[in-house]
Amino acid sequence: MSKEKKKIKVIYKRSLFQLLVKRGHNFLYTTRNRNNPKFQCYMFEATEELDKDLAKLSHKEYDKTMYNNKK
């Protein structure tokens, strides 16, 4: 009965967090930034769709090799 842990993607920018939530991504929880406690870190479930949206929002090219199974 081993449960596979969800992979997490950390988002540091609040406006990016808001856009990702509006796009329907799975927001998990928030924590204080360890390096600067006056800021929050936003944790999302790491998915291929999340990475595609991050690439679009940051005007970068999506790298398809991230999700190749290397087991």
Side-chain angles (χ1 to χ4, degrees):
M1 284 178 53
S2 66
K3 230 181 187 181
E4 190 175 318
K5 275 191 162 184
K6 289 182 181 179
K7 292 188 179 192
I8 294 175
K9 178 81 73 172
V10 182
I11 303 298
Y12 294 94
K13 191 173 179 182
R14 184 170 187 247
S15 60
L16 184 56
F17 154 74
Q18 292 170 327
L19 288 171
L20 293 171
V21 168
K22 284 180 185 177
R23 289 178 179 235
H25 293 286
N26 189 15
F27 170 64
L28 300 173
Y29 59 93
T30 183
T31 62
R32 289 273 175 217
N33 185 323
R34 292 182 198 164
N35 296 328
N36 193 342
K38 67 181 183 178
F39 294 111
Q40 292 288 112
C41 296
Y42 307 96
M43 310 302 171
F44 283 86
E45 183 177 357
T47 63
E48 189 171 358
E49 291 78 24
L50 177 68
D51 285 338
K52 286 179 182 178
D53 276 346
L54 286 170
K56 283 180 194 172
L57 293 168
S58 62
H59 307 289
K60 304 273 178 158
E61 189 174 322
Y62 172 67
D63 181 9
K64 295 176 186 167
T65 61
M66 284 182 70
Y67 285 92
N68 289 345
N69 291 333
K70 298 178 183 176
K71 291 184 179 182

